[in-house]
Amino acid sequence: MPQPARLIPAGFFLRPVDQVAQDLLGRHLRHGPVTLRVTEVEAYGGPEDSASHCRSGRTPRNAPMWEAGGRAYVYFCYGMHHMLNVVTGPAGQAAAVLIRACEPVRGLDLVRRRRGGQEGPVLLTGPGKVAQALALDLGFSGHPLFRRGGLELLEGDPGGMVLRGPRVGIGFAQPADRDLDWRFALADTPWVSQRRTLRQIIASTGYEQSLE
DNA sequence: CACAGGATCGTT
DNA sequence: ACGATCCTGTGT
């Protein structure tokens, strides 16, 4: 009988949000029979980040972002999509990583069913698609990812080369925040959205070190 | 209580 | 390039 995949320890999340964002690439998200490998993410900060949901301080919606890292922050967008974030940093300091794209690891049939019978990267390249494939809703906002049960974050398959570039869909933000290269994606997979805006290349993710 | 807008997606 | 669709934050 195979060993169950290991959870990511809570200490992993208690670091700067852009660092956690890079190290989330290649990790696995599991909800029941569906397991996805993270291929694309974006980092969001607190009140100092005009692109963040915390730009105006604490509200009922963004409350999980102010908790200690390791929980989910899920919100509802454009009246029809749920978005999954991973909260980072110590309690009282708001930050989170938006999961923008994944590739299937397990439960592909169920993912196809939930995504309307589509095939290929169109299944999972986009934050709304990821949440739909994992069957997430607002009830998962605040859910711990470092414990067994419900939605879990697990060790995965390391990626190699990483691409980075500006965040997507934040035209309303201040220019300095729009220019931050806080979007990260694995270079060697087709399961990435909006690849053309990824302009820099990073050698690796520092994946092994982050697990100690 | 009313209203404007949004970290998107799929079609035109 | 555009419309769907409703939660959310803000203001009255």
Side-chain angles (χ1 to χ4, degrees):
Chain A
M1 196 168 149
Q3 290 286 91
R6 275 181 298 172
L7 291 160
I8 305 293
F12 170 87
F13 307 96
L14 305 181
R15 297 177 295 145
V17 64
D18 55 326
Q19 209 173 107
V20 177
Q22 293 174 60
D23 288 347
L24 278 172
L25 294 174
R27 312 279 183 191
H28 287 181
L29 284 164
R30 184 172 80 92
H31 184 206
V34 172
T35 301
L36 306 181
R37 177 174 181 249
V38 177
T39 56
E40 180 187 344
V41 297
E42 281 175 356
Y44 287 87
E48 76 287 352
D49 180 3
S50 67
S52 170
H53 281 182
C54 295
R55 57 185 175 272
S56 302
R58 185 175 181 137
T59 67
R61 178 176 65 160
N62 66 32
M65 283 186 68
W66 302 82
E67 302 289 316
R71 290 175 182 274
Y73 165 50
V74 179
Y75 68 93
F76 191 60
C77 191
Y78 291 104
M80 55 187 79
H81 306 295
H82 294 280
M83 306 281 168
L84 170 64
N85 294 255
V86 175
V87 175
T88 74
Q93 181 180 317
V97 178
L98 173 68
I99 307 299
R100 281 199 57 88
C102 292
E103 66 184 22
V105 173
R106 210 159 157 264
L108 181 57
D109 286 347
L110 182 52
V111 168
R112 278 196 284 248
R113 208 150 47 222
R114 289 173 174 168
R115 290 279 304 124
Q118 305 195 62
E119 293 290 343
V122 69
L123 271 175
L124 291 170
T125 53
K129 303 175 186 180
V130 171
Q132 187 181 23
L134 289 169
L136 302 181
D137 57 27
L138 294 180
F140 283 84
S141 201
H143 182 88
L145 303 174
F146 49 84
R147 293 206 287 260
R148 291 290 172 195
L151 182 64
E152 302 171 346
L153 183 68
L154 307 168
E155 291 183 17
D157 311 306
M161 200 77 79
V162 171
L163 303 175
R164 75 185 293 176
R167 295 173 290 181
V168 176
I170 56 160
F172 57 85
Q174 296 298 116
D177 294 325
R178 289 202 308 252
D179 291 342
L180 284 177
D181 283 342
W182 269 12
R183 175 160 171 256
F184 306 90
L186 294 177
D188 59 0
T189 174
W191 298 81
V192 170
S193 75
Q194 299 277 314
R195 182 181 296 274
R196 58 194 165 74
T197 70
L198 295 164
R199 52 193 185 196
Q200 292 184 28
I201 299 174
I202 303 177
S204 80
T205 63
Y207 192 89
E208 297 82 0
Q209 185 183 6
S210 63
L211 276 185
E212 301 308 321

